[in-house]
Amino acid sequence: MARPIEKRDTIVRSALEVFVEKGVDGTTIQDIANHANAAGGTLYRYFRSKEELAQSIFFENLSLFMSELKKAILKEKHTKQKLYAMVDKFYNFFENDKVLYSYLLLSEHNFAKKMTKNYQTPVDLIIEVINNGVAKKEIFSKDSVFAAAFVYGAVVRITYFKIYGRIHEDLSIYKNRVVEGCWAFLQNE
Amino acid sequence: MARPIEKRDTIVRSALEVFVEKGVDGTTIQDIANHANAAGGTLYRYFRSKEELAQSIFFENLSLFMSELKKAILKEKHTKQKLYAMVDKFYNFFENDKVLYSYLLLSEHNFAKKMTKNYQTPVDLIIEVINNGVAKKEIFSKDSVFAAAFVYGAVVRITYFKIYGRIHEDLSIYKNRVVEGCWAFLQNE
Amino acid sequence: MARPIEKRDTIVRSALEVFVEKGVDGTTIQDIANHANAAGGTLYRYFRSKEELAQSIFFENLSLFMSELKKAILKEKHTKQKLYAMVDKFYNFFENDKVLYSYLLLSEHNFAKKMTKNYQTPVDLIIEVINNGVAKKEIFSKDSVFAAAFVYGAVVRITYFKIYGRIHEDLSIYKNRVVEGCWAFLQNE
Amino acid sequence: MARPIEKRDTIVRSALEVFVEKGVDGTTIQDIANHANAAGGTLYRYFRSKEELAQSIFFENLSLFMSELKKAILKEKHTKQKLYAMVDKFYNFFENDKVLYSYLLLSEHNFAKKMTKNYQTPVDLIIEVINNGVAKKEIFSKDSVFAAAFVYGAVVRITYFKIYGRIHEDLSIYKNRVVEGCWAFLQNE
DNA sequence: TATGAATGAGAGTTCATTCAT
DNA sequence: GATGAATGAACTCTCATTCAT
C-alpha cells in the first residue's frame, strides 16, 4: 500500500561500483548515495552498516559464483575438462561483470578474516578437483594444495592483468592456453 | 657500538607492521605511535602525512626489491636460470620478511593507481625476461605479457597460500617445481 | 457493542507508555508506532510532531486531573478535609494509572518551561487551599508558598518512592498519616 | 613537555551547565564545546561519550555530596540534630552551587536505572538516620521508609520551588521550620 | 485513512594534523 | 627533537518528517 521499494537494488549496485573504484574504506556513504541518486539514510533501511553492506555483497555473490562453478564441474567427467570448465566460468564471469568480478577477486584479502572456516571458496574447489584427479590417476601431484596454488595463480592473474590494463583481448582466447599450461604442469608434478 | 635505532626507523617498521595487520586505511596514527613507543606528533617530523608514510614504505622497498631482482637476473645467462633466480629472490624475500613482503605484494592494488607509468614493477621485469628469452629463441611465446601473467601468477600465488595459512612449508622446497612448471608452459606457448 | 478503539487513542496510549519507559527524547516515532501496531506516518495524521504529541498528552491529562482535584476540593468545607481530598485524589490517580501519573509528575521538569504562566498546576491549587485555610484561620502559616512546598513535597515523594520500588504497599494506607503529618506542620507554621 | 591540560575542567563545568539548562538528551556536543570555548573533539580526549560525561559528573558529585552529608551526621548525636545537619547541607549546597545541585537532584530520575543497588543516595542516608533514631527511641516511626519519604520530600521540594521561581528567599531561613515540621511528623508517626 | 519507502538535517564520534610546551 | 593537548573537518549513522501509493 505504501511506496514500492525502488532504491535497494540501485544502492547495492552503486556500492559495488564505488567499492571497486575506491575500496570499501575509501568509500563514504555519500559516495554510494550520490552514485545511486538516493539519500544517505536510505542505505540504512536495508543494511545495518556500510560494513554489512560490503560483506553482504561479497558473500552473496561469492556464493552465487560458487554455485555456478560447482554446477559446471559436475557436468564434466575428466579432470582436464573440469579445469577447463572452471577457467571458462572465471573468464566469462570476468567479461560479463568486471566490476563484480573485481570486487570478489580483489577484495578476497579484506574478507579473508571474516570467512569462517566452513566457507568454501573457488580455491577450495580447485583443490578438490585436483584431489579427485589424483585419485582417478588422471594427474600425479604429490601436493594438491601447492598444485592448486600454481593453477589458481596462473588462471586468475590473467584477469588481474586485464583489470590493470596490461592485457586488452577478450579473455576467451586464453582459456585453452591457460588450461594447457596448467595441465602440462599437473602432469609433471 | 651499534648505532642507536633512530626513531624514524622505528616508526617506519611499526607502521609497516600495523599497515599489514589492519590495512592502511584501518590504521590510525595512534596505532603506529603506540606500536613505536612514540607520540603521534613525532611521525610528522619525518613524513608529511600518513599517506606519504604508506607510499614511502611501499615505493622505497619496492625499489630495493627491484634492484635485487635485477642484480640477480644479470648474473644469469639463460632464461630458465633467470626465472629461477627471480623465484629464488621472491621466496627468499618472503621467508626473510613476511611482513614487508605482504605489504608490497598484497597492497599492490592500492598503490596501482599511484604508480606512475614509468615505475617498474616485478611484473615488468618478468615480461622483459620473457621477451629476451623469445629473442634468444630459448622460449617461443607469441604473447609475452600473457606468458608473464601465467608465470607471475603461479609464482606469487604460492606465497599468498602461505600467508593465508594454506601452505606451511618453507617456500624453498617449491622453487624448482614452480620453475619447471612455468618452463613447461613457456616451451609450449 | 463497544466502540472500536480509535487508532488515535492507541497511539496516544502507546506514546505515553514508551515516553515513561524511555523518556520523550529517548523515544522514537518507530517505538511508538511499533507499540501501537501502526505505521510511523500514521502518527502525523493526528499530531504535527512528536513534541506536540508529548505536550498534548501532558497538558490534556494535567487538565483532566486538575478538574478532578478542584471538584474534590469543592465538596469539602474544612481545610484539613480539602487536603485529605487532594491526597486521596493523588494516590488514587497513582494506583489507577501509574504510567500516566508518572508521566505527569516526573516530567513536570521537562514541561515546566513550556507552561505558560496562566497554566494552573496542582501546586497552585495547594497554595490556594492553604491561603484559604489561613483566611479562615484554620491554619496559621505566614508563608503559604513555603507551606505548600512542604506539603506537596511530602505528599508526592511517597509516590516517587513507590515508583522507584522503595515502597510496595497500596498508597491508600498512607493517606491519613500523610495528612496528619502535614496538618501538624501547618498548625505550627 | 607537551601542552598542559587546559580544557578538561572547562568542558566538565560547561557540560554541567548546559545539561541543567537543556537536559542531557537535549544537549549537543556542540552546545558543550561552544560553551567551553573548545572544539567538539576535545571532549573525547577525556570521556568516551556524552553519556559517560553525564554519568561521570553525576556520580562523582553525588559521591562528594554523600561524603559531606555523612561527615555532617557523624558530628551530631541526636536525631533531630542530625536531621538539621542534613537539611543544612542540602540548602547550603543548593545556595553555593545551584547548577550542580539541580543536576544532581533533578536528574535523579534519569540515572536511577543506572544506579547499582549498592550505590548509596541521600535518601538511603535519611532512612538510616531515622532507623537509628527509632532504635534510640528518639522517634517512633513504624515505617522508616515511609517516614523518610515524607521528610525527604518536604526538605527538597523547597529547593525545587526556588529553582522554579516560586520562592526567592535564601533557603537558610527555612531550615528550622522544615526541621520542626519534620520532627513533629516523626514524633506522631 | 493508513502505509512505509525515502529523505536529509543533524547528531555523536573519530582521527589526521597542528603547535605550544 | 619529541610530546600530547587541542583542533575541526569529515565520517557514520539516526530519526523526525514527508509523500507516493
Side-chain angles (χ1 to χ4, degrees):
Chain A
M1 209 171 290
R3 237 181 280 194
I5 296 179
E6 273 177 353
K7 302 275 181 176
R8 203 200 121 105
D9 292 347
T10 328
I11 285 172
V12 169
R13 185 70 202 179
S14 297
L16 174 64
E17 284 167 8
V18 193
F19 284 162
V20 167
E21 192 194 330
K22 308 187 174 187
V24 171
D25 283 341
T27 297
T28 70
I29 299 293
Q30 265 316 306
D31 288 337
I32 299 170
N34 292 341
H35 197 283
N37 263 107
T42 305
L43 193 151
Y44 292 88
R45 285 196 65 72
Y46 304 107
F47 301 93
R48 252 196 268 280
S49 67
K50 185 176 76 165
E51 209 53 40
E52 195 199 277
L53 169 59
Q55 289 186 34
S56 155
I57 298 178
F58 183 82
F59 288 111
E60 274 176 30
N61 287 288
L62 181 62
S63 183
L64 284 177
F65 181 47
M66 284 299 291
S67 304
E68 283 205 52
L69 278 181
K70 284 182 198 166
K71 216 187 328 167
I73 290 168
L74 281 180
K75 283 196 192 129
E76 307 296 337
K77 284 277 147 62
H78 196 272
T79 300
K80 191 175 178 185
Q81 281 164 330
K82 289 185 182 188
L83 262 184
Y84 184 88
M86 291 181 82
V87 174
D88 181 59
K89 279 291 171 205
F90 262 89
Y91 292 178
N92 273 338
F93 179 14
F94 177 86
E95 297 291 356
N96 287 333
D97 194 341
K98 287 187 183 59
V99 173
L100 182 53
Y101 180 95
S102 297
Y103 187 63
L104 289 192
L105 272 286
L106 296 181
S107 56
E108 59 179 343
H109 184 52
N110 302 324
F111 294 104
K113 298 155 197 161
K114 283 142 195 162
M115 288 211 211
T116 55
K117 290 298 150 198
N118 46 34
Y119 229 97
Q120 209 188 11
T121 68
V123 165
D124 295 311
L125 214 53
I126 293 182
I127 296 174
E128 205 179 295
V129 167
I130 290 176
N131 275 330
N132 282 338
V134 171
K136 293 196 289 174
K137 308 208 167 161
E138 290 167 6
I139 47 181
F140 309 95
S141 178
K142 286 154 296 189
D143 182 345
S144 60
V145 177
F146 163 70
F150 187 103
V151 169
Y152 183 70
V155 170
V156 305
R157 186 58 58 167
I158 318 292
T159 63
Y160 289 17
F161 267 46
K162 186 152 183 195
I163 291 169
Y164 294 148
R166 289 184 182 274
I167 278 178
H168 305 93
E169 324 299 322
D170 189 298
L171 292 189
S172 61
I173 68 168
Y174 297 116
K175 288 189 286 194
N176 265 314
R177 286 147 83 190
V178 169
V179 172
E180 289 302 332
C182 290
W183 193 250
F185 162 77
L186 289 171
Q187 294 301 91
N188 289 339
E189 264 290 295
Chain B
M1 278 330 129
R3 220 182 311 172
I5 296 170
E6 295 297 338
K7 207 117 223 179
R8 198 197 120 104
D9 293 345
T10 322
I11 286 172
V12 167
R13 187 69 203 179
S14 298
L16 174 64
E17 284 165 7
V18 193
F19 283 163
V20 167
E21 192 194 331
K22 307 185 174 188
V24 171
D25 283 338
T27 297
T28 70
I29 298 288
Q30 265 315 305
D31 288 337
I32 300 170
N34 292 341
H35 200 283
N37 266 107
T42 306
L43 194 148
Y44 289 85
R45 199 151 283 289
Y46 304 108
F47 301 93
R48 248 201 273 277
S49 68
K50 185 175 78 164
E51 210 52 39
E52 193 199 280
L53 169 58
Q55 289 186 35
S56 156
I57 299 178
F58 183 82
F59 288 110
E60 276 177 27
N61 287 288
L62 182 62
S63 181
L64 283 176
F65 181 49
M66 283 300 291
S67 304
E68 282 206 55
L69 277 181
K70 284 181 199 165
K71 217 185 331 165
I73 289 168
L74 281 180
K75 282 197 193 130
E76 306 297 338
K77 283 279 147 58
H78 196 272
T79 300
K80 190 175 178 185
Q81 280 164 330
K82 290 185 182 188
L83 262 184
Y84 184 89
M86 290 181 82
V87 173
D88 181 58
K89 279 292 171 204
F90 262 89
Y91 291 179
N92 274 338
F93 179 15
F94 176 86
E95 297 291 355
N96 287 334
D97 194 340
K98 287 187 184 59
V99 174
L100 182 53
Y101 180 94
S102 297
Y103 186 65
L104 291 192
L105 271 286
L106 295 181
S107 55
E108 59 180 341
H109 184 53
N110 302 323
F111 292 104
K113 298 154 197 162
K114 283 142 194 163
M115 287 209 213
T116 56
K117 291 297 150 197
N118 46 34
Y119 230 96
Q120 208 188 14
T121 69
V123 165
D124 296 310
L125 214 53
I126 293 182
I127 295 174
E128 205 178 297
V129 166
I130 290 176
N131 275 329
N132 283 337
V134 172
K136 291 197 287 172
K137 307 208 168 162
E138 290 168 7
I139 48 181
F140 309 95
S141 179
K142 285 154 296 187
D143 182 345
S144 60
V145 176
F146 164 70
F150 187 104
V151 170
Y152 183 71
V155 170
V156 305
R157 185 58 59 168
I158 317 293
T159 64
Y160 289 17
F161 268 45
K162 187 151 182 195
I163 291 169
Y164 295 149
R166 290 184 180 273
I167 277 179
H168 305 92
E169 324 298 322
D170 189 299
L171 292 189
S172 60
I173 69 168
Y174 296 117
K175 286 189 287 194
N176 266 314
R177 286 147 82 189
V178 168
V179 173
E180 289 303 332
C182 290
W183 194 250
F185 162 76
L186 288 171
Q187 293 303 90
N188 289 339
E189 266 289 296
Chain C
M1 280 329 130
R3 221 183 308 172
I5 297 169
E6 294 297 336
K7 207 117 226 181
R8 198 197 118 105
D9 293 345
T10 322
I11 287 172
V12 167
R13 187 69 201 178
S14 298
L16 174 64
E17 284 167 6
V18 193
F19 284 162
V20 167
E21 192 195 331
K22 308 186 173 186
V24 172
D25 283 339
T27 296
T28 69
I29 298 288
Q30 265 316 304
D31 288 337
I32 300 170
N34 292 340
H35 199 282
N37 267 108
T42 305
L43 194 148
Y44 289 86
R45 200 150 282 287
Y46 303 107
F47 301 93
R48 248 202 273 279
S49 68
K50 186 176 77 164
E51 211 52 38
E52 192 200 281
L53 169 59
Q55 288 187 35
S56 155
I57 298 176
F58 183 81
F59 288 111
E60 277 177 26
N61 287 288
L62 182 61
S63 181
L64 283 177
F65 182 50
M66 283 299 291
S67 304
E68 282 205 53
L69 278 179
K70 285 181 198 165
K71 215 184 332 166
I73 290 169
L74 281 181
K75 284 196 193 131
E76 307 297 336
K77 285 276 148 60
H78 196 272
T79 301
K80 190 175 178 185
Q81 279 163 330
K82 289 186 182 186
L83 262 185
Y84 184 89
M86 291 180 84
V87 173
D88 182 57
K89 279 290 171 205
F90 263 88
Y91 291 0
N92 274 338
F93 180 14
F94 176 87
E95 297 292 357
N96 287 334
D97 194 340
K98 287 187 182 61
V99 173
L100 181 54
Y101 180 94
S102 297
Y103 186 64
L104 290 192
L105 270 285
L106 296 180
S107 57
E108 60 180 342
H109 184 52
N110 303 322
F111 293 104
K113 299 154 197 162
K114 283 141 194 162
M115 288 209 211
T116 56
K117 291 297 150 197
N118 45 35
Y119 230 97
Q120 208 188 13
T121 68
V123 166
D124 295 311
L125 214 52
I126 293 182
I127 296 174
E128 205 179 297
V129 166
I130 290 175
N131 274 330
N132 282 338
V134 172
K136 291 196 289 174
K137 308 206 169 165
E138 290 167 7
I139 48 182
F140 309 96
S141 179
K142 286 153 295 189
D143 182 345
S144 59
V145 178
F146 163 70
F150 187 103
V151 170
Y152 184 70
V155 170
V156 305
R157 185 58 58 167
I158 318 292
T159 64
Y160 290 16
F161 268 45
K162 187 153 184 197
I163 291 171
Y164 296 149
R166 289 185 181 272
I167 276 179
H168 305 93
E169 323 301 320
D170 189 299
L171 293 189
S172 61
I173 68 169
Y174 297 115
K175 286 188 287 194
N176 266 314
R177 286 147 82 189
V178 169
V179 173
E180 290 302 331
C182 290
W183 194 249
F185 161 78
L186 289 170
Q187 294 301 89
N188 289 339
E189 265 289 296
Chain D
M1 210 172 290
R3 237 180 279 193
I5 295 177
E6 273 178 351
K7 303 275 179 174
R8 204 200 120 104
D9 292 348
T10 327
I11 285 172
V12 169
R13 186 70 201 178
S14 298
L16 173 64
E17 284 166 6
V18 193
F19 284 161
V20 167
E21 192 195 331
K22 308 187 175 188
V24 172
D25 283 340
T27 297
T28 70
I29 299 293
Q30 265 317 305
D31 288 338
I32 300 170
N34 292 342
H35 198 282
N37 262 107
T42 305
L43 194 151
Y44 292 88
R45 285 196 64 72
Y46 305 108
F47 301 93
R48 252 195 269 281
S49 66
K50 185 177 77 165
E51 209 52 39
E52 194 199 278
L53 169 58
Q55 287 187 34
S56 157
I57 298 177
F58 183 81
F59 288 109
E60 274 176 30
N61 287 290
L62 181 61
S63 183
L64 284 175
F65 181 48
M66 283 299 293
S67 303
E68 283 207 54
L69 278 180
K70 284 182 200 166
K71 216 183 334 163
I73 289 170
L74 281 180
K75 282 198 194 127
E76 307 297 339
K77 283 276 147 60
H78 196 273
T79 300
K80 191 175 179 185
Q81 281 164 328
K82 289 186 183 189
L83 261 184
Y84 184 89
M86 290 182 82
V87 172
D88 181 58
K89 278 292 170 203
F90 263 88
Y91 292 180
N92 273 338
F93 178 16
F94 176 87
E95 296 290 357
N96 287 334
D97 193 340
K98 286 188 184 58
V99 174
L100 181 53
Y101 180 94
S102 297
Y103 187 64
L104 289 192
L105 271 285
L106 295 181
S107 56
E108 59 180 342
H109 184 52
N110 302 323
F111 293 105
K113 298 155 197 162
K114 282 141 193 162
M115 288 211 211
T116 55
K117 292 296 151 198
N118 45 35
Y119 229 96
Q120 209 189 12
T121 68
V123 166
D124 296 309
L125 214 53
I126 293 182
I127 295 174
E128 205 179 295
V129 166
I130 291 176
N131 274 328
N132 282 337
V134 172
K136 291 196 289 172
K137 306 207 168 162
E138 291 167 7
I139 48 183
F140 309 95
S141 179
K142 287 154 295 188
D143 182 345
S144 59
V145 176
F146 163 69
F150 187 104
V151 170
Y152 183 71
V155 170
V156 306
R157 185 59 58 170
I158 319 292
T159 64
Y160 290 16
F161 268 46
K162 185 151 185 196
I163 291 170
Y164 295 149
R166 289 183 180 274
I167 276 179
H168 306 92
E169 324 298 321
D170 189 299
L171 292 189
S172 61
I173 68 168
Y174 297 116
K175 286 189 286 194
N176 266 314
R177 287 147 80 190
V178 169
V179 172
E180 291 301 333
C182 291
W183 194 249
F185 162 77
L186 288 170
Q187 295 300 91
N188 290 338
E189 263 291 295

